[in-house]
Each structure stands twice: as C-alpha cells, then as structure tokens.
Amino acid sequence: MTTLRMLRAIGWTLVSMSASVGLGCSSNASDATDAGEASDAGPRGDAAEPGVDASGASVEAARGRDGAPTDGGADTGGSSSTIHWNGGNFYLYGINYPWLTFGTDFGSGGFGHLANPNQVKADMATFASVGGHVLRWWVWVDGRYDPLFDGSGKVTGFDPLFFSDLDTALQYAANNHIYLDLTLFDTSVLDAAQSVSGVQEGGHQALVTDPTVQQSFLDNALKPLLQHVAASSYKDYVLAYDIMNEPERLLPGGWGPPADFVTVSQMQTLVKNSASYIHTYGGGGLATVGSAAQTWMGQGLDFYCAHYNSGPGEPSGLQPPPPYASLGLDKPCVVEEFTTADVSFGMSDTAEWSAEWWLNTIYNQGYAGAIGWAWHDSAGNWSSFQPVYTAWGSAHSAIVGPR
C-alpha cells in the first residue's frame, strides 16, 4: 500500500481489452522496503478464448498434453455470488496476510533466511480462533529470492529452502483449517532492476515479453510449484493461485513507470498460459488475477478480484463499490482488497466507511467474497477490524468459507 493509491483512482469502469481497475496494494521496486521491514505495499458463462497465446510460450494444457482439454477455466458451477470449489459453494472470507517480510517469506537469499515458522504457526492458530477462513499470501513478489534466474534471464528453479519453507506454512495452515490464496507475483517483478545490498529486485520484464523466458518460468517454476502442492497432504488448503497482483499497473495508462509498460496482449498471454498450467498441474486449485477487468475474460480464469482501498479522506474521492452485476463479467468477482483502516469499528455501526458497512456493502452488492487489507501491513488496522470481522462471519456462517 503506497501513496500511489491516489493515482489509482480510475474508478470501477471496466473496459474490455484495456487497462482498468486494481485500486489496491501494488508495490514496485521503489515502493517496497527491503527485507526485514514491513513494506507498504451476472451470470456465469464460458467466454470465447481470443487465442492471445500465439506469442510463442506454449501451454501444454491448452494443447491437450496429459489429456487436458483446451482451458476455458474450471467448472465453477454455483452462483455469481459464491466461489465453487472442492465440492462446495463459498463466500470467500478472509484477510490479506500478505507477508511477514516482503518477498522473503519462502526460501533464502542475499538478506538471509528470513522465514519465520514460529510466527506463522502462532498467526494461523490466532486466525482460526477468530473465525478466519482465507489468507492471501504473496509468494515470489518481485523475484528477489525466488524463482532463480540465470544470466540470460531464464528461470532455472528454486533455492534449496523454498519448498521446505512452503511446506511448513502449508502444514500450519492445514492444521488450523485456513485456506490460502497464493499471489505469485507483484508487477514490481517487471520493473527495472535495482540492487539492494547485492540483491536484485525486479528486472524480469522478459517473463511477459519474451516467449522463451516465459516458457522457462512455466516449466521450471510454476509447474514444479503446482505439482509439489498437488502431491502434498495439504493440497486442499491451497484454494487459489493469484497470478499477478494488479497487472494494470504496467499496462498502458497504468500508474507504474511508463518505461516498464507491457502490452495488454503480452500480459494476457502470461495470465492465460499460467491459468492453463494451474488447471493442469494444480490439483484443483483455482486460477485468478488481482484485477476485475473485462480484459481478463477469456483467459481461463475461475474468478476475478477487485481491489478497493480508498475511503474517506483519500484524495481519490472514490465511490462505494458498484453492484457486481454492473461490471459485465462472466465469472464471479471477489473483493480481494478493501481497507480495514476504517472510520468506525462499532459492532452495530453501519455508517458509510465503517467496518460493518464495508462487509455489508461488499456482500449486498453481489460479490463472491471479502478479503480485507491487511494484517501485517501498516496500511491496515486488522486488530481493530477483527472483532467486527468475527461477528459478521458468525452471523453469516452458512455461507462464509471455505470450511
């Protein structure tokens, strides 16, 4: 969460095949603090695939390898106001974790081995005790630790501690029946590289622009991650993979550095190819992206994610979230970010911009979930928001989940 939020006040207008809303928490190389510091960071239908993956990066799933059909997204069933997953229909209800140390929660690198299993264990138990269901956790972020890249920019794999750190986190989540929405990258991975204490942050635009580099990512990072989780006893606790946080930041008209912009078609290709791998190798995990734009329709996603972090006193002057039905989307939409730094935390206070108002508004406007921003980030106020969250979840226990 950064002061760039004021530049994200482009409304909830969703324009097909163009950059559109994210309105949330994106961190670029200059926004994020170094490791060790908390960074600010309608009806369903199967839309026709536009075939943008012709850029060269192949999709094994889309070509029928391993018996997989052409990927149009998972069979999501249910209604537009819930997410169909693992045999149930759920209103996704949770909080953005979103990290303990930005970009370094899994694996080891130049800042040291900063994974904190004791904190994760305690947090998972605490979240379960207050009625928590979903945690959104950022994994690779800007690529400062993983995946690993060679001198030509191709992805080669992971550092030796990546999977052991991931397994520990998954174990603690599963032990407490907490379900994870794993955000793979932030668009800061595509920013111009910068070196901090000898650690490269960003500098991997070729993941989107170079078909050969993208294929190396699909085969040497995404596929092994998905297969590892799918083969583990914790696979039923990874609900979804969010491919990229707020991709519109680096699309034409976005709020990122113009020199780092990529084309809509290039970003669609990464999203579509990644979604196909998720459906082929992910063991039932869903594919999404941190955006709620018609741009992503037809890319094989299972649901979309709106980010809405502005409130009273913000320079953007944004309005409350519009009805889901007005967005013109073909799959459900979860509000994956909304501010928990609210004007009131009264248990019965429904005044505009209060905590109760946010939860009621998101639900009543027809969205398929509410995931607040954030726990371990100074831009949120989880400690004050949590009692309202717990009470609202208890009052809506029949639909919140997964469970």
Side-chain angles (χ1 to χ4, degrees), residues 1-9 23-24 308-319 338-343 353 358 379-380:
M1 180 82 70
T2 73
T3 55
L4 288 174
R5 280 183 298 169
M6 64 182 292
L7 301 179
R8 301 172 195 175
L23 309 178
Y308 195 80
N309 284 291
S310 291
E314 293 287 336
S316 59
L318 291 177
Q319 299 300 308
F338 66 95
T339 182
T340 61
D342 303 319
V343 298
W353 308 115
W358 270 110

XYZ file of all heavy atoms in Angstrom, residues 1-9 23-24 308-319 338-343 353 358 379-380:
251
model
N 0.858 -1.185 0.000
C 0.000 0.000 0.000
C 0.887 1.224 0.000
O 1.770 1.355 0.825
C -0.879 0.000 1.247
C -1.793 1.194 1.327
S -3.253 0.973 0.352
C -4.069 -0.279 1.319
N 0.703 2.109 -0.954
C 1.540 3.290 -1.050
C 0.694 4.508 -1.332
O -0.500 4.423 -1.575
C 2.560 3.153 -2.198
O 1.864 3.289 -3.431
C 3.268 1.821 -2.158
N 1.339 5.664 -1.335
C 0.637 6.889 -1.693
C 0.214 6.892 -3.146
O -0.540 7.749 -3.583
C 1.527 8.112 -1.444
O 2.753 7.944 -2.144
C 1.830 8.261 0.042
N 0.661 5.910 -3.906
C 0.216 5.793 -5.298
C -1.258 5.472 -5.404
O -1.824 5.513 -6.488
C 1.020 4.706 -6.017
C 2.469 5.049 -6.340
C 3.167 3.832 -6.910
C 2.547 6.198 -7.310
N -1.901 5.167 -4.281
C -3.325 4.882 -4.346
C -4.096 6.031 -4.996
O -5.094 5.819 -5.663
C -3.883 4.625 -2.940
C -3.599 3.237 -2.439
C -4.236 3.029 -1.094
N -3.668 3.949 -0.116
C -4.185 4.122 1.086
N -5.281 3.498 1.438
N -3.612 4.949 1.956
N -3.660 7.268 -4.775
C -4.385 8.392 -5.353
C -4.317 8.352 -6.873
O -5.234 8.825 -7.551
C -3.835 9.719 -4.836
C -2.415 10.017 -5.224
S -1.833 11.574 -4.513
C -2.844 12.734 -5.423
N -3.265 7.774 -7.413
C -3.150 7.660 -8.865
C -3.951 6.504 -9.401
O -4.135 6.381 -10.607
C -1.678 7.499 -9.250
C -0.756 8.630 -8.816
C 0.666 8.322 -9.250
C -1.225 9.957 -9.394
N -4.429 5.657 -8.504
C -5.194 4.503 -8.938
C -6.685 4.806 -8.980
O -7.499 3.929 -9.188
C -4.940 3.327 -7.999
C -3.470 2.957 -7.969
C -3.184 1.938 -6.912
N -1.750 1.898 -6.706
C -1.159 1.183 -5.784
N -1.865 0.441 -4.977
N 0.135 1.202 -5.644
N -7.038 6.034 -8.750
C -8.445 6.396 -8.686
C -9.012 6.541 -10.076
O -9.406 7.603 -10.521
C -8.610 7.695 -7.925
N -6.953 -0.652 -8.028
C -7.304 0.138 -6.861
C -6.808 -0.459 -5.575
O -7.486 -0.443 -4.570
C -8.829 0.304 -6.790
C -9.477 0.798 -8.082
C -10.965 0.862 -7.905
C -8.933 2.127 -8.494
N -5.638 -1.012 -5.578
C -5.229 -1.684 -4.359
C -3.775 -1.524 -4.038
O -3.216 -0.462 -4.183
N -10.128 -2.454 -3.726
C -10.807 -1.193 -3.439
C -10.351 -0.705 -2.080
O -10.877 -1.103 -1.050
C -12.318 -1.419 -3.450
C -13.133 -0.154 -3.525
C -13.321 0.498 -4.743
C -13.703 0.374 -2.390
C -14.070 1.654 -4.818
C -14.457 1.536 -2.458
C -14.639 2.174 -3.670
O -15.389 3.321 -3.734
N -9.347 0.172 -2.070
C -8.731 0.550 -0.812
C -8.961 1.985 -0.385
O -8.537 2.378 0.690
C -7.224 0.292 -0.871
C -6.909 -1.179 -0.732
O -7.098 -1.763 0.325
N -6.457 -1.795 -1.822
N -9.602 2.799 -1.180
C -9.798 4.181 -0.801
C -11.020 4.349 0.089
O -11.990 3.610 -0.005
C -9.958 5.053 -2.043
O -8.742 5.127 -2.737
N -10.953 5.327 0.938
C -12.064 5.630 1.825
C -12.104 7.111 2.106
O -11.481 7.910 1.404
N -12.811 7.533 3.138
C -12.916 8.966 3.436
C -11.551 9.564 3.732
O -10.694 8.936 4.337
C -13.816 8.981 4.680
C -13.642 7.621 5.277
C -13.461 6.695 4.132
N -11.355 10.784 3.250
C -10.081 11.445 3.460
C -9.055 11.128 2.388
O -8.013 11.754 2.322
N -9.345 10.145 1.531
C -8.430 9.818 0.448
C -8.547 10.877 -0.658
O -9.641 11.354 -0.945
C -8.765 8.444 -0.137
C -8.518 7.296 0.825
C -7.044 7.025 1.017
O -6.253 7.373 0.129
O -6.690 6.462 2.063
N -7.447 11.242 -1.290
C -7.511 12.248 -2.356
C -8.243 11.761 -3.589
O -8.646 12.556 -4.424
C -6.036 12.524 -2.667
C -5.324 11.297 -2.221
C -6.078 10.800 -1.018
N -8.422 10.449 -3.708
C -9.042 9.911 -4.917
C -10.530 10.191 -4.984
O -11.097 10.290 -6.060
C -8.808 8.408 -4.987
O -9.362 7.777 -3.845
N -11.193 10.283 -3.837
C -12.622 10.533 -3.824
C -13.441 9.437 -4.466
O -14.474 9.688 -5.089
N -12.999 8.199 -4.339
C -13.728 7.097 -4.947
C -15.076 6.880 -4.285
O -15.284 7.217 -3.128
C -12.908 5.812 -4.860
C -11.663 5.782 -5.720
C -10.894 4.491 -5.480
C -12.021 5.900 -7.186
N -15.955 6.277 -5.021
C -17.287 5.973 -4.541
C -17.331 4.534 -4.028
O -16.445 3.736 -4.307
C -18.303 6.161 -5.667
C -18.357 7.586 -6.201
C -18.728 8.587 -5.122
O -19.726 8.425 -4.422
N -17.911 9.622 -4.978
N -9.801 -4.566 0.405
C -10.550 -3.383 0.803
C -9.969 -2.932 2.125
O -9.437 -3.723 2.892
C -12.058 -3.660 0.909
C -12.440 -4.616 2.017
C -12.833 -4.142 3.267
C -12.410 -5.988 1.804
C -13.174 -5.024 4.287
C -12.762 -6.876 2.814
C -13.143 -6.390 4.063
N -10.060 -1.656 2.407
C -9.357 -1.128 3.558
C -9.980 -1.576 4.879
O -11.201 -1.583 5.036
C -9.303 0.410 3.513
O -8.575 0.878 4.639
C -10.692 1.026 3.513
N -9.127 -1.936 5.817
C -9.573 -2.226 7.185
C -9.247 -1.069 8.118
O -9.519 -1.148 9.315
C -8.916 -3.511 7.722
O -7.494 -3.349 7.753
C -9.278 -4.714 6.863
N -8.662 -0.011 7.578
C -8.407 1.197 8.366
C -9.627 2.098 8.220
O -9.636 3.054 7.447
C -7.141 1.895 7.869
N -10.678 1.771 8.963
C -11.989 2.351 8.733
C -12.308 3.466 9.732
O -11.604 3.673 10.715
C -13.047 1.242 8.796
C -12.758 0.140 7.792
O -12.361 0.464 6.659
O -12.921 -1.042 8.138
N -13.423 4.165 9.479
C -13.766 5.300 10.334
C -14.389 4.859 11.654
O -14.403 5.627 12.612
C -14.722 6.274 9.615
C -14.071 6.852 8.382
C -16.037 5.599 9.258
N -18.396 3.804 5.349
C -16.965 3.638 5.568
C -16.622 2.988 6.908
O -15.449 2.850 7.240
C -16.197 4.958 5.418
C -16.467 5.679 4.136
C -17.081 6.889 4.003
C -16.167 5.237 2.812
N -17.179 7.237 2.670
C -16.623 6.233 1.916
C -15.567 4.099 2.273
C -16.493 6.139 0.540
C -15.441 3.993 0.896
C -15.891 4.995 0.052
N -18.486 -1.779 5.263
C -17.703 -2.436 4.215
C -18.181 -3.871 4.006
O -18.419 -4.304 2.870
C -16.220 -2.442 4.577
C -15.442 -1.252 4.104
C -14.924 -0.249 4.865
C -15.093 -0.944 2.749
N -14.266 0.664 4.080
C -14.352 0.264 2.774
C -15.335 -1.565 1.531
C -13.852 0.850 1.618
C -14.823 -0.980 0.371
C -14.094 0.210 0.421
N -0.720 -0.186 6.566
C -1.855 0.471 5.931
C -3.191 -0.075 6.415
O -4.229 0.536 6.173
C -1.759 0.329 4.414
N -3.185 -1.234 7.056
C -4.421 -1.804 7.565
C -4.545 -1.626 9.064
O -3.641 -1.138 9.733
